[in-house]
Amino acid sequence: MSAADVAARAGGSAESVDTAARDLQQRLMASGHERPKEETCPICFDPIELPIIDHSTVNVCCMKRVCNGCLLEARRRGIYNSCPFCRTHRPSDVASAVAMILKRVDKGDADAIKHLGDRYYHGRQGLAKDVPRAIELWTEAAELGSVIAHYHLGLIYYLGDGVAEDKPRGIRHWQEA
């Protein structure tokens, strides 16, 4: 028995069943947890597909995470060597990328501070691996409101990676996140 047959027996039409199904789907998709603003592309305002790291890129000039669709569209329109969000020229080497990040850190940008902490933790972009410095930077970013920095601090303290294991402190950071 099809939806149209059920609707006809119930006294409704197939169109009303389709409309009700669409309304239910919309309510279900709109309910639940809200995704953080960091998971939304600042150009198209669409949520970035999961896993985010595979479907977007962070631009070090403005520290905005732009989805691959907007990057593709920018390239299609001839924007090759510039950020599609702020139109700043992309850094040509690692030193200039780190200089751009440090410029944003000096301005107190929580995302840049968290990003620099990531680079120190993993020893990337020409920076030596320095876990205590990463924790210091993540703490500063968390104080400025970075949810992801709270998550990283929770993980570090809970597992005792580079610091003495402190499970309650790790859990408190996760609760803040």
Side-chain angles (χ1 to χ4, degrees), residues 8 29 32 37 42 60 100 117 122 155 160-161:
M29 297 308 279
K37 67 179 176 115
V60 295
M100 283 184 156
H122 296 290
L155 197 60
D161 185 15

Side-chain angles (χ1 to χ4, degrees), residues 45-92:
F45 300 109
D46 285 339
I48 298 171
E49 189 177 344
L50 299 173
I52 292 174
I53 198 163
D54 293 339
H55 299 283
S56 63
T57 301
V58 174
N59 295 305
V60 295
C61 49
C62 57
M63 298 309 298
K64 299 293 184 188
R65 182 175 289 279
V66 178
C67 72
N68 287 347
C70 289
L71 290 173
L72 178 66
E73 184 61 23
R75 287 189 180 98
R76 193 177 73 75
R77 292 179 183 219
I79 303 171
Y80 295 105
N81 294 326
S82 299
C83 170
F85 184 75
C86 69
R87 303 290 197 253
T88 303
H89 286 288
R90 293 186 191 275
S92 57

Side-chain angles (χ1 to χ4, degrees), residues 131-132 135 153 155-166 169:
V131 176
I135 291 171
L153 287 169
L155 197 60
I156 291 291
Y157 284 116
Y158 191 84
L159 298 175
D161 185 15
V163 293
E165 185 178 297
D166 189 356
R169 189 173 184 181

Side-chain angles (χ1 to χ4, degrees), residues 26 43 50 62 85 91 94 103 105 112 123 131 133 145 150 154 159:
Q26 183 63 32
I43 297 174
L50 299 173
C62 57
F85 184 75
V94 173
K103 186 176 178 182
V105 167
V131 176
R133 178 73 175 134
H150 274 296
L159 298 175

